[in-house]
Amino acid sequence: MSSLLIPRWLRHRRLSLRVLLTILLLSSALTLAITAVQLYSEYQRDLGSLERQLQQAESTFSDTLASSLWSLDRVQLELQLHGLLQLPHVRQVFLTGDMDLQAGVASDYPRQREHIIPVVYQGGDGVQHTLGEVRMQADLAEIDGRTWDRGLLILLTQGAKTFAASLLILCAFYYLVTRHLHRMSDYARTLRLGGPRRPITLSRQQQGWFRPDELDELQDAFNHALQRMSEDLAARERAEQEKARLDFLIHFDPLTELPNRVLAYEHLTDEIHQGQPGRLTALALLDIDNFKDVNDGFGHDIGDRVLVEVAQRLRRCCEPDWIPARFGGDEFLVIITRIPDRQWLDQRLTQLLEDFCGPVAITPEQTLFLSATIGVAVAPDAGNAAKDLIQAADTAVYAAKRDRKRSLRFYRPQLQEDTQRRLRLESDLRQALAEDQFRVHYQPVVDAATREVTSLEALVRWQHPLRGLVPPDEFIPLAEENGLIVPLGAWVLETSLRNLRSLRQSTGNPHLTVAVNVSSRQLLEGALDETVHSALQKAGLPGSALQLELTERIFLHDMAETRRALQAVEAMGVTLAIDDFGTGYSALGYLRRLHVHTLKVDREFVRDISSDENDRHLIRAIISMAHDLQIRVVAEGVETREQLEFLQEYHCELAQGYLFSPPLPMGELTEHLLKWVHHAP
């Protein structure tokens, strides 16, 4: 409606009108401000002039007024009051005191100034006498009128000049700016997608003062916009293609082109929610075995090729209505629906695993064997949400990998409880290290012939504040798995050597040694040579006081690194023993490459030595082989005299077991060793 009220000739010149109004307003405001300052200055000057006149009248008339009033000369006083009345702007004069007189007529103008002249007479004796005062009333009518006249004149003249200047500026603005803006607006209305796009050219000189200016920039912007329009049309097509590509990347794995985690999660959620009562939905989580070794050993390019092969095999092995997906890394998902019963699911997944596993050629000359572990979660038993099924399947995979008996494992609530128990145990284990809850017990190793104690085996125990004594076979594997065995082993080593020094002093046996078990993680990750060197230095003992017990499983790992670490500790004088000999790797090649000092025959062979002829032959062979290699033999788990006698018959040098002593804490061990000589079995 407002546009209809504007005349047609102004309707398309609103910018010019706003410029004019803006100039008028700004210039008017500036004129008003300057006028106000000027008027105020002149007004203050007039008031100052009036005040100076009144002050001058006071200095002129004060003495004569005092003399006339002292002599009570009424005529003279009236003449003087009339004289004061002649001053500019003074309308009335009052005398009060010893005589009251008045001259002039009171003014009715509201703005007035009053000036008081005190009348004081000084006699010949120098004493001043206050006789009264003279009050002069001056109105400001003339000053105010003059100020208004000046203001009106200034406003009229400045307003005329401002209006004339605004019109000139408006005309210049129209010629320099507005007409070109009209040209651009008309040109913009003709633009169409796909239409002709000739560059716009304004009708102005190509050169001039202050060029290029804003209009040149606007013209360039118009022409640039035309160019961008054609570019944007092409870019829109590319964007649509890119959107389709991003859509694919959001929901599919770019390497294998299988649905990714996001899309699999959506599919799984839909299947769970749309499932009919009694209908089973399963999620199988497939984890490629030893895939990290493929990446580390052959590089990520080969690893990617293996992942692509895994995806292809999954597509071939899955039923048509199954949904294979890549979960991430080396893990894949299979969403399984229309399951008649669990037995059918077990059979189909077992068949899938068999079809899946097999060789894959990574180079023309080299082939890898591909295998996997599958964890299965079935809804609704494992949960009614996608995240619950994924977590349950992951728990089942973890349990299958830890168990290693079967590569396919179905989720059971007990698995979740086991996982939570292991997590709690791991948390307690870390807290135990911080709170010094571990203890070291020692079991003597005796000379089978003389029954003398030659060494001690250090055995770590965990005194849990709530659970009591935790068995080593419960927490040692967990410590090895999560790496806590490294700081725990360092603590056992340092504690054992410190206690050995105390035992040597208290028992008077300077040749007593201690054997400490070492895991593969301590060898490969724990800087074993530095740990041993530090513990020996703190205890003040030579390397010969320590024996490190190794299991045969150590030699399944990096043999070169294992050999380097063991040679470093051997250089300190530390001896090496193979613990649980005959139950592990038993390749025997390491006996030739390492300087093994002692073999410890596992208790499984010693237990039935008196009744099992095969065990006797086996122990006899181990002892004979060890003696040929100049290695001493310790028989573990000796509990009866018959076992000891058989071992003596086979010339086994050392024995260890409950026949001689159970593992003892440090407090009981000293007393036990002191009584050993008199009470040896």
Side-chain angles (χ1 to χ4, degrees):
M1 290 296 294
S2 60
S3 62
L4 298 177
L5 301 177
I6 302 175
R8 182 178 179 81
W9 65 275
L10 274 180
R11 191 171 303 164
H12 301 294
R13 293 172 175 79
R14 297 177 187 175
L15 178 60
S16 303
L17 184 60
R18 286 200 298 271
V19 171
L20 175 61
L21 292 177
T22 302
I23 294 173
L24 286 174
L25 289 174
L26 291 177
S27 58
S28 299
L30 183 62
T31 300
L32 288 175
I34 295 174
T35 301
V37 172
Q38 184 177 354
L39 290 176
Y40 180 77
S41 175
E42 293 182 359
Y43 179 72
Q44 291 296 324
R45 185 181 60 196
D46 290 345
L47 290 180
S49 176
L50 174 61
E51 191 66 32
R52 285 192 300 274
Q53 289 175 359
L54 295 177
Q55 292 287 346
Q56 186 177 2
E58 178 181 352
S59 62
T60 302
F61 285 90
S62 60
D63 292 338
T64 57
L65 285 170
S67 299
S68 299
L69 187 58
W70 177 262
S71 60
L72 300 177
D73 188 346
R74 185 182 185 90
V75 175
Q76 190 64 30
L77 286 172
E78 289 179 349
L79 288 174
Q80 291 171 344
L81 292 181
H82 281 89
L84 290 173
L85 194 61
Q86 301 305 313
L87 292 174
H89 311 297
V90 177
R91 299 290 181 263
Q92 192 174 26
V93 181
F94 295 93
L95 172 62
T96 59
D98 291 350
M99 184 180 295
D100 294 334
L101 293 176
Q102 176 180 339
V105 180
S107 173
D108 58 356
Y109 193 72
R111 290 172 46 78
Q112 297 187 15
R113 284 291 181 94
E114 182 180 70
H115 188 79
I116 299 175
I117 302 175
V119 180
V120 180
Y121 178 77
Q122 184 173 357
D125 54 359
V127 178
Q128 292 183 346
H129 303 276
T130 301
L131 305 178
E133 62 181 17
V134 175
R135 287 183 297 144
M136 294 183 292
Q137 298 287 343
D139 66 21
L140 304 180
E142 292 182 8
I143 295 176
D144 290 349
R146 189 164 54 249
T147 300
W148 280 107
D149 293 341
R150 290 172 183 167
L152 183 59
L153 179 63
I154 293 173
L155 286 176
L156 289 175
T157 55
Q158 291 295 335
K161 289 191 292 183
T162 299
F163 184 74
S166 300
L167 287 178
L168 291 176
I169 293 173
L170 180 62
C171 293
F173 184 79
Y174 176 80
Y175 179 78
L176 295 175
V177 178
T178 307
R179 66 190 183 98
H180 299 301
L181 294 179
H182 290 164
R183 166 86 175 95
M184 291 182 182
S185 64
D186 294 339
Y187 180 82
R189 291 189 186 96
T190 65
L191 293 179
R192 296 291 185 274
L193 289 177
R197 300 186 181 93
R198 295 186 304 275
I200 184 173
T201 303
L202 300 179
S203 58
R204 43 193 324 231
Q205 296 180 355
Q206 297 300 317
Q207 302 294 331
W209 291 353
F210 306 108
R211 299 285 297 278
D213 56 14
E214 290 84 347
L215 285 175
D216 293 319
E217 294 177 357
L218 187 58
Q219 174 182 300
D220 293 341
F222 256 87
N223 294 330
H224 179 69
L226 292 176
Q227 181 182 355
R228 288 296 302 272
M229 284 174 66
S230 21
E231 294 176 356
D232 289 347
L233 286 175
R236 179 185 297 179
E237 296 178 2
R238 293 194 299 270
E240 291 175 353
Q241 297 173 355
E242 181 66 14
K243 181 179 180 298
R245 189 183 72 85
L246 290 177
D247 242 6
F248 177 83
L249 293 178
I250 291 172
H251 295 97
F252 291 86
D253 175 53
L255 178 64
T256 63
E257 297 185 355
L258 288 175
N260 62 10
R261 180 187 306 209
V262 175
L263 187 56
Y265 196 95
E266 294 176 2
H267 280 315
L268 184 57
T269 301
D270 291 342
E271 290 295 338
I272 293 173
H273 291 167
Q274 295 174 6
Q276 299 174 356
R279 176 183 172 185
L280 299 179
T281 299
L283 176 70
L285 177 61
L286 182 144
D287 184 276
I288 304 173
D289 295 335
N290 304 317
F291 183 73
K292 183 178 183 299
D293 295 338
V294 176
N295 272 338
D296 294 343
F298 300 99
H300 289 277
D301 289 341
I302 297 297
D304 288 347
R305 290 177 56 185
V306 171
L307 291 174
V308 172
E309 176 63 23
V310 168
Q312 293 173 353
R313 291 189 183 185
L314 271 182
R315 289 191 183 97
R316 291 195 303 266
C317 297
C318 287
E319 298 284 345
D321 57 341
W322 293 5
I323 303 175
R326 186 182 178 192
F327 188 63
D330 60 347
E331 293 181 326
F332 292 79
L333 296 176
V334 179
I335 302 172
I336 307 169
T337 59
R338 301 181 182 177
I339 303 171
D341 52 56
R342 295 177 185 273
Q343 183 179 0
W344 176 88
L345 179 61
D346 192 351
Q347 292 173 352
R348 287 298 298 117
L349 288 177
T350 301
Q351 185 63 46
L352 181 147
L353 199 56
E354 292 176 359
D355 296 341
F356 176 86
C357 297
V360 54
I362 58 173
T363 65
E365 300 81 17
Q366 194 162 9
T367 300
L368 289 178
F369 186 83
L370 197 61
S371 64
T373 303
I374 296 180
V376 186
V378 181
D381 295 348
N384 285 313
K387 63 181 182 63
D388 296 334
L389 289 185
I390 293 173
Q391 181 179 356
D394 187 63
T395 301
V397 166
Y398 179 75
K401 283 185 173 291
R402 189 173 66 247
D403 189 23
R404 297 181 181 179
K405 293 180 180 179
R406 190 186 179 200
S407 296
L408 176 64
R409 176 67 67 90
F410 280 77
Y411 172 79
R412 294 179 292 104
Q414 182 63 35
L415 296 180
Q416 190 73 19
E417 295 174 6
D418 292 344
T419 301
Q420 293 175 356
R421 183 183 60 81
R422 286 176 62 83
L423 290 175
R424 287 194 298 268
L425 185 63
E426 180 176 346
S427 176
D428 290 348
L429 194 59
R430 295 182 184 276
Q431 187 175 1
L433 271 174
E435 296 181 356
D436 195 23
Q437 296 177 9
F438 291 102
R439 305 289 182 266
V440 180
H441 290 193
Y442 302 89
Q443 188 172 33
V445 178
V446 303
D447 188 302
T450 65
R451 312 288 180 87
E452 293 181 358
V453 177
T454 61
S455 66
L456 305 167
E457 181 181 4
L459 302 168
V460 65
R461 298 291 186 265
W462 180 8
Q463 188 65 43
H464 194 282
L466 299 178
R467 299 176 55 191
L469 204 62
V470 180
D473 57 355
E474 185 174 344
F475 70 86
I476 290 296
L478 180 60
E480 291 182 347
E481 182 180 325
N482 60 27
L484 290 177
I485 194 66
V486 175
L488 177 59
W491 177 84
V492 171
L493 188 63
E494 186 175 326
T495 303
S496 301
L497 288 173
R498 184 175 64 249
N499 288 340
L500 176 64
R501 179 178 181 180
S502 175
L503 287 170
R504 281 185 169 188
Q505 294 173 352
S506 60
T507 61
N509 183 359
H511 304 294
L512 191 64
T513 62
V514 66
V516 178
N517 291 278
V518 175
S519 74
S520 58
R521 294 197 72 158
Q522 288 176 271
L523 274 172
L524 300 177
E525 303 175 17
L528 183 64
D529 51 345
E530 297 179 8
T531 303
V532 170
H533 180 71
S534 174
L536 288 171
Q537 277 197 329
K538 289 179 180 179
L541 293 175
S544 58
L546 175 64
Q547 184 174 76
L548 297 181
E549 292 191 3
L550 317 171
T551 63
E552 294 173 297
R553 290 191 300 273
I554 284 179
F555 304 104
L556 291 173
H557 300 280
D558 188 347
M559 188 61 191
E561 181 63 24
T562 300
R563 187 175 182 182
R564 186 209 65 78
L566 294 178
Q567 286 175 342
V569 296
E570 281 186 294
M572 304 176 198
V574 177
T575 59
L576 303 179
I578 304 301
D579 196 14
D580 301 332
F581 183 78
T583 63
Y585 185 51
S586 297
L588 303 182
Y590 59 84
L591 295 177
R592 176 174 54 84
R593 292 190 293 269
L594 297 174
H595 298 92
V596 177
H597 182 267
T598 305
L599 289 183
K600 302 189 74 173
V601 181
D602 189 72
R603 66 183 69 248
E604 293 295 327
F605 303 121
V606 176
R607 182 179 55 198
D608 299 326
I609 191 175
S610 58
S611 59
D612 192 323
E613 186 174 354
N614 290 330
D615 284 347
R616 289 198 295 271
H617 290 323
L618 184 59
I619 289 181
R620 186 185 297 113
I622 292 174
I623 294 174
S624 176
M625 177 199 66
H627 287 170
D628 290 342
L629 295 173
Q630 297 182 344
I631 298 175
R632 297 197 309 168
V633 178
V634 177
E636 295 182 301
V638 179
E639 298 180 355
T640 66
R641 292 184 180 275
E642 289 79 5
Q643 292 171 343
L644 179 60
E645 290 171 359
F646 275 110
L647 293 171
Q648 289 172 334
E649 181 183 347
Y650 302 149
H651 305 291
C652 179
E653 296 96 331
L654 303 170
Q656 175 184 351
Y658 276 74
L659 176 63
F660 310 106
S661 171
L664 297 173
M666 183 63 183
E668 300 177 18
L669 181 64
T670 304
E671 182 180 354
H672 184 79
L673 292 180
L674 290 174
K675 295 179 179 179
W676 180 262
V677 177
H678 305 289
H679 299 84

